[in-house]
């Protein structure tokens, strides 16, 4: 179908098809953000973000009971915000271009990734709904009762299923099984074996499917449709997941304030978010834009062979392309980002909110993973390293600098905050992580990825 968006520079299309790093900036971004946004037939906004935060608060006591690792925080699932000047310097970020901070969702407890936010929220919302429906809980009642035998007997009659490359499956599977649900995770045969084994050890059924992530999700969705007692967590279509992710925004706002970091017209905030199907970064972007308005600029990061969100934004809302349509392979070591087709729900939501998208080669992911370890003692997985190319894409490329000028941001960059949102790594086995580090420390091959400042092409 014909796109209603402005035509894209052929050079960007050429770079995408050639699997070369590139930067796209969103011509449809709006400075103003409505309290509620239309997503198809649904509405989502600040009230939903607050409702998700309140749900997490109601369940904090139960979560502390179910998960020993949450006892110290009183059941609060949150990650630290850290200043990383040495890492910023290692990445080539000059003082006149702003300061680097890291939001460490790679260390989130229970699930070890950003998926702990959306995934656990949806499981809690489903459990709460069932308990209310069956009279085991009253509105505003003590959610701690859901650990009692009556609630567990109810939950045991229901299945919670999800299709996942790994991290969402870990969050859904672990939370659902601990509450007493029958938990099933549909995964591709190519998904990481250690993630499958970790799920099985937690009592989660892993169903393997030939093909990629998209085929595993489709198979899981079809199977769930035949079982009235199965709740399928649909990463491509779930508002509950989105709202769970958006609840991270108020926590970050409080952390920035506590650290003395200003966010306003002369102190812009740039946030770099690894992107797979798009639900997690879209939810966080929704929350951040609601709180910081035009002063926050969110950029999604995707592998050069799996830029599903970028091809979706380029196409517009009237088609649903796959990266295979662009001659790309969807093969990447960033397994959490190996998605051929974006969430239409997330893409529709991002049309007025997102600032841009850039792509990264796999070798760069490993190099930045090693830099994060060496300069900031961050233990992340390859997909979580995608955000670290963001500052260089903005400040070190002609396209990025032109966009900063056009947005009247260039005069304020010395006071800018660059925030990389790391998304996974806590649960990676030591043997796997050692291989990541070895690859990141290895000399670059002759055909290695260009440095961010050499990344070709873009459009403003």
């Amino acid at each position: 179908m014909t796109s209603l968006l402005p035509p894209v520079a052929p050079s960007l299309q050429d770079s995408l098809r050639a699997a070369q790093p590139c930067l796209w900036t969103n011509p449809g971004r709006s400075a103003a953000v409505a309290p509620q946004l239309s997503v198809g037939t649904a509405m989502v906004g600040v009230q939903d973000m607050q409702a998700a935060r309140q749900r997490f608060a109601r369940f904090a006591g139960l979560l502390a009971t179910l998960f020993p690792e949450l006892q110290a925080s009183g059941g609060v699932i949150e990650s630290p915000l850290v200043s990383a000047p040495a890492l910023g310097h290692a990445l080539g970020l000059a003082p006149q271009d702003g300061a680097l901070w890291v939001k460490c969702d790679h260390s989130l407890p229970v699930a070890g990734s950003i998926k702990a936010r959306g995934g656990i929220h949806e499981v809690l919302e489903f459990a709460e709904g069932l308990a209310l429906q069956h009279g085991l809980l009253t509105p505003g009642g003590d959610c701690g009762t859901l650990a009692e035998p009556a609630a567990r007997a109810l939950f045991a009659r229901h299945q919670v299923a999800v299709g996942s490359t790994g991290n969402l499956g870990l969050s859904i599977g672990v939370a659902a099984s601990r509450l007493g649900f029958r938990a099933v995770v549909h995964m591709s045969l190519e998904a990481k074996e250690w993630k499958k084994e970790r799920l099985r050890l937690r009592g989660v059924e892993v169903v393997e499917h030939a093909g990629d992530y998209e085929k595993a999700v489709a198979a899981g969705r079809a199977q769930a449709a035949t079982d009235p007692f199965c709740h399928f967590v649909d990463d491509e279509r779930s508002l509950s997941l989105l709202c769970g992710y958006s609840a991270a925004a108020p926590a970050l706002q409080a952390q920035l304030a506590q650290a003395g970091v200003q966010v306003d017209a002369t102190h812009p905030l740039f946030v770099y978010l690894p992107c797979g199907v798009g639900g997690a970064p879209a939810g966080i972007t929704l929350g951040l834009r609601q709180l910081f308005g035009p002063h926050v600029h969110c950029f999604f990061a995707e592998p050069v062979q799996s830029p599903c969100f970028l091809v979706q934004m380029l196409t517009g809302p009237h088609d649903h392309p796959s990266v295979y349509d662009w001659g790309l392979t969807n093969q990447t070591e960033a397994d959490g980002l190996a998605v051929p087709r974006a969430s239409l729900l997330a893409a529709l939501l991002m049309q007025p909110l997102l600032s841009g998208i850039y792509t990264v080669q796999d070798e760069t992911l490993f190099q930045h993973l090693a830099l994060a370890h060496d300069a900031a003692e961050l233990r992340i997985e390859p997909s979580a390293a995608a955000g670290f190319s963001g500052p260089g894409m903005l400040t070190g490329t002609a396209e990025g600098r032109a966009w900063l000028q056009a947005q009247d941001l260039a005069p304020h960059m010395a006071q800018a905050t660059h925030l990389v949102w790391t998304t996974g790594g806590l649960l990676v086995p030591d043997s796997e992580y050692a291989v990541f580090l070895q690859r990141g420390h290895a000399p670059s091959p002759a055909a290695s990825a260009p440095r961010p400042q050499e990344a070709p092409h873009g459009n403003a």
Side-chain angles (χ1 to χ4, degrees):
M1 288 189 177
T2 303
S3 171
L4 299 182
L5 297 180
V8 179
S11 56
L12 177 61
Q13 293 186 356
D14 291 345
S15 296
L16 270 176
R17 294 183 189 279
Q20 291 296 312
C22 58
L23 169 67
W24 170 81
T25 52
N26 181 13
R29 181 185 184 270
S30 172
V33 182
Q36 294 289 309
L37 296 164
S38 173
V39 189
T41 59
M43 299 292 291
V44 64
V46 66
Q47 292 179 350
D48 303 284
M49 174 180 70
Q50 296 299 348
R53 281 186 59 77
Q54 291 162 10
R55 180 168 290 108
F56 277 124
R58 287 197 301 276
F59 275 88
L62 177 61
L63 290 171
T65 298
L66 295 176
F67 298 101
E69 59 265 47
L70 293 179
Q71 290 177 0
S73 68
V76 175
I77 301 173
E78 197 44 78
S79 69
L81 172 71
V82 301
S83 174
L87 179 54
H89 177 74
L91 291 168
L93 187 65
Q96 64 268 25
D97 291 326
L100 183 71
W101 290 74
V102 181
K103 179 61 174 157
C104 299
D105 269 15
H106 67 278
S107 65
L108 276 176
V110 179
S113 79
I114 194 172
K115 302 297 186 177
R117 299 184 183 278
I120 292 176
H121 176 263
E122 179 151 347
V123 172
L124 296 181
E125 185 173 15
F126 178 57
E128 187 174 32
L130 278 179
L132 288 168
Q133 177 186 344
H134 289 269
L136 298 180
L137 189 66
T138 57
D142 179 12
C143 293
T145 61
L146 301 189
E148 296 177 357
R152 295 187 69 83
L154 169 64
F155 297 158
R157 299 199 298 269
H158 293 263
Q159 182 184 100
V160 175
V162 66
S164 172
T165 57
N167 284 345
L168 181 63
L170 284 168
S171 72
I172 297 291
V174 169
S177 63
R178 192 65 64 91
L179 278 165
F181 291 105
R182 292 178 288 117
V184 178
V185 178
H186 297 267
M187 305 177 77
S188 72
L189 287 169
E190 298 175 352
K192 300 293 186 183
E193 282 301 322
W194 71 264
K195 294 184 179 181
K196 297 175 187 175
E197 185 59 26
R198 189 174 186 90
L199 283 165
R200 293 185 179 109
L201 290 173
R202 296 294 187 100
V204 178
E205 180 184 355
V206 175
V207 180
E208 298 183 81
H209 301 274
D212 58 20
Y213 159 86
E214 185 178 34
K215 292 180 179 178
V217 171
R221 188 187 292 127
Q223 184 174 323
T226 67
D227 183 356
F229 289 92
C230 179
H231 176 77
F232 185 72
V233 179
D234 198 326
D235 201 6
E236 298 176 21
R237 306 173 184 178
S238 172
L239 284 174
S240 183
L241 285 177
L242 272 168
C243 294
Y245 296 123
S246 74
L252 176 64
Q253 184 183 43
Q255 289 176 319
L256 289 170
Q258 185 176 14
V261 176
Q262 293 178 250
V263 180
D264 54 34
T266 59
H267 298 81
L269 172 63
F270 302 95
V271 181
Y272 309 101
L273 295 147
C275 177
V277 74
I284 288 171
T285 297
L286 169 67
L288 293 177
R289 287 299 312 272
Q290 293 285 354
L291 294 181
F292 296 113
H295 310 311
V296 62
H297 300 273
C298 296
F299 288 83
F300 291 179
E302 299 187 287
V304 292
Q305 291 288 357
S306 302
C308 67
F309 214 89
L310 179 49
V311 301
Q312 182 62 59
M313 295 297 284
L314 292 176
T315 304
H318 304 290
D319 203 355
H320 197 196
S322 164
V323 299
Y324 302 126
D325 300 333
W326 287 65
L328 299 171
T329 66
N330 193 38
Q331 296 296 308
T332 172
E333 292 292 333
D335 60 312
L337 311 183
V339 178
R341 205 181 308 265
S343 162
L344 272 178
L345 176 76
L348 284 170
L349 186 61
M350 289 299 97
Q351 283 181 332
L353 302 181
L354 187 62
S355 288
I357 304 171
Y358 61 89
T359 62
V360 189
Q361 289 185 326
D362 273 18
E363 288 310 308
T364 304
L365 298 179
F366 285 100
Q367 291 161 8
H368 287 175
L369 178 150
L371 279 180
H373 171 272
D374 298 345
E377 299 182 347
L378 300 175
R379 192 179 189 277
I380 60 177
E381 60 186 2
S383 57
F388 290 108
S389 294
M393 278 290 188
L394 274 194
T395 67
T397 67
E399 293 76 22
R401 289 191 295 266
W403 181 82
L404 291 172
Q405 288 284 357
Q407 300 296 315
D408 197 28
L409 293 166
H412 310 300
M413 291 306 293
Q415 293 83 41
T417 299
H418 299 271
L419 192 150
V420 174
W421 208 296
T422 56
T423 50
L426 177 67
L427 303 181
V428 173
D430 291 343
S431 57
E432 293 264 342
Y433 185 68
V435 173
F436 296 161
L437 272 184
Q438 183 179 24
R439 183 166 173 180
H441 285 137
S444 299
S448 65
R451 292 170 57 86
Q453 60 265 34
E454 298 167 358
H457 313 308
N459 75 306

